[in-house]
Amino acid sequence: MGERYRVHIENSGEDYVCPTEQSLLRGMEVLGRRGIPVGCRGGGCGVCKVHITAGDYEARKMSRACVSEDEERHGVVLACRVYPRGEISLEVIGKMARALGAAAPGPGDVSGV
């Protein structure tokens, strides 16, 4: 088993520990919160979009229909395709934000990105 890192969800103030071989989405599911949106788990549906605000991670291939190159450069990724490589802080956006009771940004608004 690899390293384990703390992941902080800024919207809710929650923290969880995520191993390097586990996606951020899977780590969120382990929190046991009802309503965490899960779609294809393969980077093609965009349901689990998050904005990484700090930390190191490995992002695997995601559909450009869900995350543009510009968004990805600014830390907007799909939680199902991201693996921690250090402590991470993130904001949930879109459908994920609604599920966690966070205020979802409007279209095209990614917290100042």
Side-chain angles (χ1 to χ4, degrees):
M1 190 152 154
E3 296 286 321
R4 297 166 57 92
Y5 297 106
R6 182 181 70 87
V7 179
H8 177 70
I9 303 172
E10 294 177 13
N11 312 66
S12 66
E14 293 174 279
D15 292 329
Y16 66 93
V17 175
C18 191
T20 57
E21 67 276 1
Q22 188 175 79
S23 73
L24 295 182
L25 178 61
R26 181 66 191 126
M28 281 184 213
E29 290 179 292
V30 174
L31 281 173
R33 297 277 307 271
R34 292 181 62 183
I36 299 267
V38 175
C40 70
R41 296 183 191 269
C45 73
V47 169
C48 61
K49 194 180 267 194
V50 297
H51 178 212
I52 307 287
T53 58
D56 294 324
Y57 58 91
E58 174 188 338
R60 299 192 180 157
K61 188 175 180 178
M62 295 170 264
S63 168
R64 286 294 170 221
C66 300
V67 177
S68 71
E69 288 181 41
D70 188 51
E71 284 179 313
E72 189 173 350
R73 272 193 300 277
H74 289 96
V76 175
V77 293
L78 301 178
C80 69
R81 304 302 293 157
V82 173
Y83 298 79
R85 297 300 179 249
E87 289 196 0
I88 290 179
S89 285
L90 61 85
E91 295 176 339
V92 293
I93 56 180
K95 291 180 182 177
M96 177 105 34
R98 288 189 292 278
L100 290 174
D109 177 19
V110 186
S111 299
V113 172

